[in-house]
Amino acid sequence: MLIRRPPDIAPSEITPPDLYRRRRAFLRSAGLIAAAVGTGVVLPASRVRAAAQKLPNTRSGTFSTTEDRTPYEDVTTYNNFYEFGTDKDEPAQNARSLKTRPWTVAIEGEVRKARTIGIEELLRLAPLEERVYRLRCVEGWSMVVPWVGYSLRELIRRVEPTGNAKYVEFVTVADRRQMPGLAYPVLEWPYAEGLRLDEAMHPLSLMCVGLYGEVLPNQNGAPVRVVIPWKYGFKSGKSIVKIRFTQTQPRTAWNRAQPREYGFYSNVNPEVDHPRWSQAKERRIGEFRKRPTLMFNGYAEQVASLYAGMDLKKNF
Ligand code: MTE
């Protein structure tokens, strides 16, 4: 079964190796790996789905690909959400109890209308659209997902960035009581990511609250995340609690952990290898053959102009 297959690149490859080994050693000594395997409590995808809520009034949006969609079961059981564990099937198990109500997102920094917005208001801020986007992980796999949300710029316009705002930082929730992965220094918590303001204002950048017509499952970043389809998946921060507008480029969680390997831009670019593996090909989840990775994940027509004149090997 798909979720039993090891990821294309093991977490040990992505995570700084010493941290990874320390974490596994700790789990083993605590008997946690054996216990987890022994119980076999893998929640069937059908039960995950039974709990999901439909999102009403979702219209079909622009920019959708007509490629085959990755099945719901795979989208919701093959995840990266390190706050809930580094194995692909751990987030679906461990995120079940994440409390997503009440939930607020603080808008701070270089904006005229700094404020804290509740999730109910965020859900009503603009008409919800289904956008079928490719998501390509830096590890070498990809998915096609019918996300639900609206362009991030709908929110940005309403908070009125000042002339000093050049970047947008997304900070995601970090609650030790609810997120077992925070006990391990795999990354510096909270997970944070960033975009240039013009990237965030691009209509493709999605404020995402659902998938497959339903509210976001916790393991996919409930109750609100971003999806930036032309960048490697790690730029799409999950379970966001703060959006900060800044004059200077924000530090990001992966860049802090491995600056040589994860740059600020992280555009999908088959010509720039990860220092430890090629990025020329990818495996679509559910398929065995690999396919060539496309520049900007296939969104070059829409986004290439954002990087006109930039050296994308230097600005990786
Ligand atoms: N956001 C948080 N807060 N923590 C994470 O570990 N992983 C990132 C990104 N957002 C991550 C995160 C990575 S590496 C990927 S590939 C995508 O989420 C995966 O999104 P998905 O599980 O919905 O496919």
Side-chain angles (χ1 to χ4, degrees):
M1 211 164 72
L2 185 68
I3 57 166
R4 299 260 176 253
R5 197 161 59 206
D8 300 60
I9 295 163
S12 53
E13 294 275 309
I14 310 291
T15 307
D18 53 326
L19 292 182
Y20 177 78
R21 274 194 297 272
R22 260 188 278 147
R23 175 180 177 273
R24 299 306 281 189
F26 171 81
L27 288 176
R28 206 168 290 116
S29 67
L32 292 178
I33 292 178
V37 171
T39 57
V41 267
V42 174
L43 191 71
S46 51
R47 271 192 50 209
V48 176
R49 185 149 208 180
Q53 260 178 291
K54 282 252 171 283
L55 280 168
N57 307 325
T58 299
R59 61 187 191 190
S60 78
T62 42
F63 304 117
S64 285
T65 170
T66 53
E67 288 171 287
D68 287 346
R69 300 165 183 210
T70 304
Y72 179 92
E73 285 67 25
D74 294 335
V75 173
T76 56
T77 56
Y78 190 89
N79 299 105
N80 277 340
F81 200 163
Y82 276 20
E83 292 88 327
F84 293 106
T86 52
D87 289 344
K88 292 287 179 278
D89 57 346
E90 282 180 315
Q93 299 302 311
N94 296 337
R96 264 181 283 166
S97 54
L98 177 69
K99 259 188 82 208
T100 58
R101 293 292 187 285
W103 192 279
T104 56
V105 178
I107 315 281
E108 297 179 355
E110 293 290 347
V111 282
R112 284 188 196 91
K113 297 195 169 158
R115 51 179 298 223
T116 295
I117 305 185
I119 186 65
E120 273 73 26
E121 187 182 346
L122 268 178
L123 280 163
R124 287 192 310 265
L125 196 88
L128 295 181
E129 292 178 9
E130 179 172 86
R131 304 252 190 103
V132 190
Y133 284 168
R134 298 171 212 103
L135 180 130
R136 203 289 199 183
C137 180
V138 76
E139 296 165 335
W141 51 267
S142 61
M143 293 190 183
V144 174
V145 183
W147 306 104
V148 178
Y150 47 80
S151 289
L152 179 58
R153 66 182 187 176
E154 297 287 345
L155 169 67
I156 297 179
R157 279 189 188 137
R158 285 166 171 81
V159 296
E160 299 180 16
T162 69
N164 291 333
K166 301 279 180 289
Y167 297 90
V168 190
E169 182 186 23
F170 304 91
V171 182
T172 83
V173 70
D175 180 352
R176 275 180 172 257
R177 285 163 308 168
Q178 300 193 75
M179 305 175 113
L182 295 181
Y184 311 104
V186 178
L187 292 170
E188 262 180 50
W189 314 112
Y191 192 100
E193 259 306 334
L195 297 172
R196 239 172 34 198
L197 182 60
D198 59 339
E199 296 177 317
M201 287 292 286
H202 191 282
L204 271 177
S205 294
L206 189 71
M207 193 77 188
C208 174
V209 295
L211 55 82
Y212 271 101
E214 297 171 355
V215 296
L216 268 180
N218 291 349
Q219 60 271 33
N220 293 92
V224 61
R225 68 178 293 178
V226 289
V227 179
I228 315 298
W230 71 95
K231 293 180 180 274
Y232 291 116
F234 65 89
K235 297 294 282 185
S236 298
K238 295 178 169 181
S239 305
I240 290 171
V241 289
K242 193 187 290 180
I243 301 180
R244 185 161 29 180
F245 293 76
T246 60
Q247 193 161 13
T248 52
Q249 190 172 295
R251 300 281 309 280
T252 67
W254 281 102
N255 184 248
R256 275 176 212 255
Q258 298 275 47
R260 240 176 37 82
E261 303 191 353
Y262 305 102
F264 178 79
Y265 283 94
S266 306
N267 289 319
V268 174
N269 187 344
E271 290 163 20
V272 177
D273 287 343
H274 183 281
R276 289 182 280 140
W277 58 84
S278 161
Q279 292 291 23
K281 290 192 173 170
E282 69 201 55
R283 187 175 61 78
R284 187 66 48 89
I285 295 298
E287 295 177 357
F288 288 96
R289 75 185 166 85
K290 290 199 172 182
R291 54 172 76 209
T293 283
L294 302 175
M295 188 65 198
F296 297 116
N297 202 23
Y299 299 96
E301 198 187 316
Q302 289 86 12
V303 301
S305 61
L306 292 173
Y307 310 102
M310 271 179 78
D311 179 344
L312 295 180
K313 291 211 160 93
K314 249 206 239 116
N315 296 287
F316 63 90

